[in-house]
Amino acid sequence: MDWEILQEGTDASGIERDAQASRTRPSLSLPTPHSRTHPSYITGSHAAAILSSHHLHRGAHAKAACPAVLSVSLVLGVDLISSRRELVMARCQGTVESLCQGLLDLDDDKFGAMCSAFGYLQEWPDLSAMCGANLGVPAVVAPLAGDGDDSSCSGSGGGGGGGGFRKRRPDTYLDAKGDGNDMSKRPRGKQQQLCGHGEMAEPGKGKQERPKASAKKKAEPASTAAAADQKTDYIHVRARRGQATDSHSLAERVRRERISERMRYLQELVPGCSKVTGKAGMLDEIINYVQSLQKQVEFLSMKIAASNPVVSFDIVEDLFGRQLKQACSPAALPAMALPAGQLEPPCLQNQMSPCPMQQVHAPAAAASTGFGLDMVVNNNLYPPAMASCPVSAATPESAAAGPSIEPCLNVNGTAAWDISSQNLFSGFDAQFQSVESDCLLDNLKMEM
Amino acid sequence: MSSRRSSRGNISEDEINELISKLQALLPSSRRRGSGQASTTKLLKETCSYIKSLHREVDDLSDRLSDLMSTMDHNSPGAEIIRSILRS
């Protein structure tokens, strides 16, 4: 390790930066962890000090960098014990958070006293730029920076000390961010390798700080896909603490989010759905609603077809197509046997047949494969109609409209109305009405 | 995740799947395409658009019917019958 080079390159500039910082920012309300730790290490080893300050400068990654700082100082055998530092170090034992918290918990007075004891400025030295100027630094820095990246990727960053840094030093934050991005652009594998190196560099010592970071690393299998995913839409797909970050988990999370978003949307669309809790209840409600809407549409188109068959033929055909699927069931087909018996082949061809019954049924037979259900309706309901109005549907008018009208007759069971709408007879309205309502009810029942 | 949900809500994944397939059967597009299991996301999206189209259809039909009713002669047999239909 080129600790010497580091020392040479950074010490003077560090001081210089300190002075600069104090010029540009004469009064910082809160002392920063960086300036707190900086004096602690620089007395023992300048290299450690540079490293530590550099890493603490990486505002966003400061939390994770802290244990790294500790471990570096320990590796280098920096054994600087003063009462203040003991305080800091004692507080820093344990987790990353407690470390940062320990640094932050010191109040201004204590910190000022500490700084004055070490003869350092109470300001941030802008060491990140300085370290960038140092040739030897990046290589040494990498393992520690890797730690920082890992922890920030798994979403623990931002709280506590990190947030504080950003507020105090926006420019430093930007620096750190750029730095972090650079780091995250590095291949994951290399980073891990470097991290491993960092771990090797502190055998036996600093054990308390490591478990957290390594646990985070374990939780992150670090497949390149996952890394790419995180980079591309990490705003939406941000793993929270304790959440898995491999590609499958991320994809699954995205999927679930999308589904719940749609469910929310449907909840708005379906009335009464917001009261229901649970996915199953909501789906049930949605199904019911769709069914009721379908029925409503059919009912309305029926009514329109009844009142104006020629105009609304297209709608009826829609409806027809919809019914076709349901009517195609095997259960409905045997029923065709009955009406089929009444249908003579000539009638099938002859729309001008004088028998209204046949006229009604002929198209149904022509399309018989699909209309079993309708034929049942016809079979059950037309005989009374026939009894009441035996003749005369075969006016030229109805015959001319035959091809277009009759499908809707079959669908709706409103043949009687179509006939009567052409003013053929006015005396049978009562019967027609009863037939019609029966037909409608039947149709609806069959839809169920 | 699923085990937690099932223990809490007493609703198994199977039931949800059943409901989803039921919903799929109601949709015209999925019915046309066959029984291929589409993704839940797509299905829900389709459901949204289908419900919207049904809304539109119902509105359209209601308008038409009301137009027809207004243009129709009040004491014609046709109006009589439509009224009876509406009553039923």
Side-chain angles (χ1 to χ4, degrees):
Chain A
M1 290 279 162
D2 297 334
W3 298 114
E4 312 309 319
I5 299 170
L6 277 178
Q7 193 174 338
E8 285 167 19
T10 53
D11 194 4
S13 57
I15 304 300
E16 187 187 280
R17 293 288 179 164
D18 276 2
Q20 250 180 27
S22 67
R23 271 201 302 278
T24 52
R25 264 166 240 275
S27 65
L28 284 175
S29 59
L30 283 172
T32 63
H34 170 262
S35 51
R36 281 166 186 169
T37 49
H38 186 72
S40 332
Y41 296 109
I42 206 151
T43 41
S45 159
H46 289 240
I50 299 314
L51 281 174
S52 67
S53 52
H54 174 71
H55 285 293
L56 285 170
H57 248 305
R58 301 162 51 81
H61 308 312
K63 270 185 174 181
C66 284
V69 169
L70 282 182
S71 64
V72 168
S73 70
L74 291 168
V75 168
L76 292 173
V78 181
D79 194 18
L80 312 164
I81 304 299
S82 79
S83 58
R84 292 291 176 193
R85 239 170 289 122
E86 264 178 348
L87 177 64
V88 174
M89 296 295 274
R91 282 174 186 254
C92 289
Q93 307 266 323
T95 64
V96 181
E97 280 83 359
S98 71
L99 184 144
C100 285
Q101 203 50 52
L103 292 170
L104 285 169
D105 280 348
L106 288 172
D107 58 35
D108 272 358
D109 295 341
K110 280 182 195 167
F111 178 68
M114 192 172 93
C115 282
S116 59
F118 291 105
Y120 276 93
L121 290 165
Q122 202 170 330
E123 287 294 345
W124 291 63
D126 191 8
L127 292 175
S128 57
M130 176 187 76
C131 286
N134 258 307
L135 292 177
V137 169
V140 187
V141 159
L144 311 166
D147 284 339
D149 275 348
D150 277 355
S151 69
S152 72
C153 279
S154 39
S156 70
F165 292 171
R166 284 173 215 188
K167 269 180 215 150
R168 276 171 229 137
R169 286 286 302 248
D171 51 342
T172 311
Y173 169 54
L174 287 178
D175 266 5
K177 208 179 172 191
D179 228 353
N181 287 344
D182 281 350
M183 293 310 294
S184 61
K185 267 174 213 149
R186 290 180 186 204
R188 220 61 180 169
K190 193 183 170 192
Q191 244 180 53
Q192 288 237 314
Q193 195 190 337
L194 289 168
C195 290
H197 175 68
E199 271 172 348
M200 274 168 54
E202 41 111 68
K205 295 178 181 178
K207 279 285 186 221
Q208 320 91 306
E209 293 88 26
R210 299 308 295 182
K212 191 111 187 174
S214 55
K216 274 172 190 163
K217 254 180 277 160
K218 256 178 248 157
E220 191 173 43
S223 70
T224 49
D229 205 346
Q230 278 184 342
K231 245 182 280 167
T232 49
D233 44 358
Y234 82 109
I235 293 170
H236 305 293
V237 199
R238 193 105 189 233
R240 276 188 224 102
R241 177 187 294 268
Q243 282 183 326
T245 47
D246 57 315
S247 61
H248 291 292
S249 309
L250 283 176
E252 180 62 22
R253 206 171 299 135
V254 172
R255 191 183 83 96
R256 260 183 273 128
E257 260 167 42
R258 223 177 277 154
I259 287 177
S260 52
E261 181 197 318
R262 297 245 185 275
M263 287 299 261
R264 251 177 280 128
Y265 192 59
L266 276 172
Q267 213 167 13
E268 284 170 23
L269 221 55
V270 178
C273 208
S274 48
K275 289 176 200 115
V276 186
T277 53
K279 222 174 177 184
M282 261 171 69
L283 281 173
D284 224 14
E285 202 67 27
I286 289 166
I287 288 170
N288 285 339
Y289 186 59
V290 168
Q291 273 174 338
S292 74
L293 273 179
Q294 280 176 344
K295 262 183 223 119
Q296 206 176 345
V297 166
E298 280 173 30
F299 190 69
L300 279 171
S301 45
M302 246 183 251
K303 279 191 269 187
I304 287 183
S307 55
N308 197 350
V310 181
V311 171
S312 57
F313 175 62
D314 50 346
I315 299 168
V316 175
E317 192 158 54
D318 270 2
L319 180 65
F320 210 44
R322 216 172 282 150
Q323 282 195 337
L324 200 136
K325 284 270 183 1
Q326 290 159 6
C328 248
S329 67
L333 288 175
M336 280 168 53
L338 256 127
Q342 304 172 354
L343 296 166
E344 277 90 42
C347 297
L348 275 173
Q349 316 302 327
N350 188 7
Q351 297 286 329
M352 305 296 274
S353 156
C355 169
M357 186 66 176
Q358 281 171 348
Q359 194 183 352
V360 166
H361 280 289
S368 60
T369 46
F371 307 149
L373 197 62
D374 301 314
M375 294 182 77
V376 177
V377 174
N378 291 339
N379 199 34
N380 291 340
L381 293 170
Y382 280 118
M386 284 300 296
S388 58
C389 53
V391 245
S392 75
T395 62
E397 197 185 348
S398 76
S404 63
I405 293 174
E406 271 142 19
C408 83
L409 300 189
N410 288 324
V411 172
N412 301 326
T414 50
W417 160 233
D418 286 317
I419 292 162
S420 68
S421 74
Q422 285 152 24
N423 307 319
L424 295 175
F425 9 68
S426 50
F428 296 104
D429 275 351
Q431 286 99 327
F432 287 155
Q433 281 170 23
S434 69
V435 169
E436 291 228 350
S437 50
D438 282 349
C439 288
L440 285 169
L441 284 176
D442 256 50
N443 250 353
L444 287 178
K445 266 180 223 151
M446 265 174 268
E447 289 296 313
M448 302 293 254
Chain B
M1 202 63 169
S2 59
S3 63
R4 210 197 314 156
R5 199 189 303 139
S6 63
S7 65
R8 189 190 60 203
N10 218 5
I11 292 155
S12 70
E13 203 71 13
D14 290 344
E15 280 176 87
I16 296 268
N17 286 341
E18 197 187 315
L19 284 168
I20 289 279
S21 55
K22 214 167 148 193
L23 186 60
Q24 195 174 14
L26 283 177
L27 299 185
S29 57
S30 54
R31 231 174 9 189
R32 213 180 302 128
R33 206 185 302 134
S35 58
Q37 185 85 27
S39 76
T40 312
T41 319
K42 253 185 228 156
L43 181 79
L44 291 177
K45 200 175 172 185
E46 267 170 34
T47 311
C48 284
S49 53
Y50 186 52
I51 285 178
K52 271 191 221 148
S53 76
L54 281 176
H55 276 157
R56 235 178 297 132
E57 213 171 336
V58 166
D59 288 346
D60 189 42
L61 289 173
S62 317
D63 285 350
R64 262 167 135 174
L65 194 65
S66 58
D67 281 354
L68 275 172
M69 286 299 285
S70 61
T71 54
M72 208 171 267
D73 189 7
H74 271 285
N75 39 22
S76 78
E80 197 73 23
I81 285 170
I82 285 187
R83 250 174 266 134
S84 77
I85 291 171
L86 290 173
R87 250 182 273 125
S88 70

